Amino acid sequence: MIRQLSAVENVLCGCLGQRPTWQTLFGFRRRDRQRALDLLNRLGLADFANHPVGQLSGGQQQRVAIARALIQSPAILLVDEPIAGLDVMATHQVMEILKQLQQEGITILAVLHHLELATTYCDRGHYLEGRTRNL
């Protein structure tokens, strides 16, 4: 996440690997920009599209990161601790978004440290217990 860039510019960064570098030197295509705005709208961030990401809350920043991944139209979305550092309300917002994406056909593979959230939002899960050892 580039904190100085706006939310929409951060989402557009997800397009960088999909186009030849020379095409992005002159800016992003109108179609890509509209898709980025549509994703931000879908995630409840339309009013913050032009705000620098560094000025957004943790939950809003996490939703921008999800939009950046979604602009690539993934079949599988890997998320590692998507709720780390979020308050209770933002935690549930992010988990609801991920659940909705899963219901729309995107496979979500999430690493969570909160067992109750995993059992609430996930269809299947694997519990791993780590043990510390002296080497």
Side-chain angles (χ1 to χ4, degrees):
M1 188 96 45
I2 303 172
R3 299 178 57 78
Q4 298 85 350
L5 293 181
S6 69
V8 72
E9 291 167 332
N10 267 279
V11 174
L12 286 167
C13 286
C15 294
L16 289 175
Q18 298 176 330
R19 313 267 181 282
T21 305
W22 66 269
Q23 284 184 356
T24 58
L25 292 175
F26 304 105
F28 292 96
R29 298 183 302 190
R30 191 174 312 170
R31 177 177 35 169
D32 292 334
R33 186 167 182 76
Q34 186 57 53
R35 180 153 159 70
L37 291 169
D38 290 345
L39 286 167
L40 288 172
N41 183 47
R42 177 178 179 197
L43 297 176
L45 295 171
D47 293 340
F48 301 97
N50 295 310
H51 286 68
V53 170
Q55 294 178 4
L56 301 180
S57 71
Q60 290 168 326
Q61 289 180 18
Q62 197 65 295
R63 288 184 279 160
V64 170
I66 291 169
R68 186 180 60 229
L70 291 176
I71 202 161
Q72 299 176 37
S73 301
I76 300 173
L77 188 60
L78 307 173
V79 291
D80 183 17
E81 277 300 310
I83 54 166
L86 301 183
D87 62 35
V88 173
M89 189 170 86
T91 292
H92 288 286
Q93 286 175 335
V94 168
M95 292 305 294
E96 286 292 334
I97 289 166
L98 294 174
K99 182 69 175 176
Q100 183 181 23
L101 292 170
Q102 182 270 328
Q103 290 170 345
E104 293 171 10
I106 297 175
T107 299
I108 308 290
L109 180 60
V111 174
L112 299 169
H113 292 141
H114 299 283
L115 188 56
E116 68 267 3
L117 284 174
T119 57
T120 300
Y121 289 99
C122 300
D123 291 341
R124 289 181 273 168
H126 295 280
Y127 176 77
L128 301 176
E129 183 176 342
R131 298 178 192 234
T132 57
R133 297 184 350 204
N134 291 330
L135 298 177

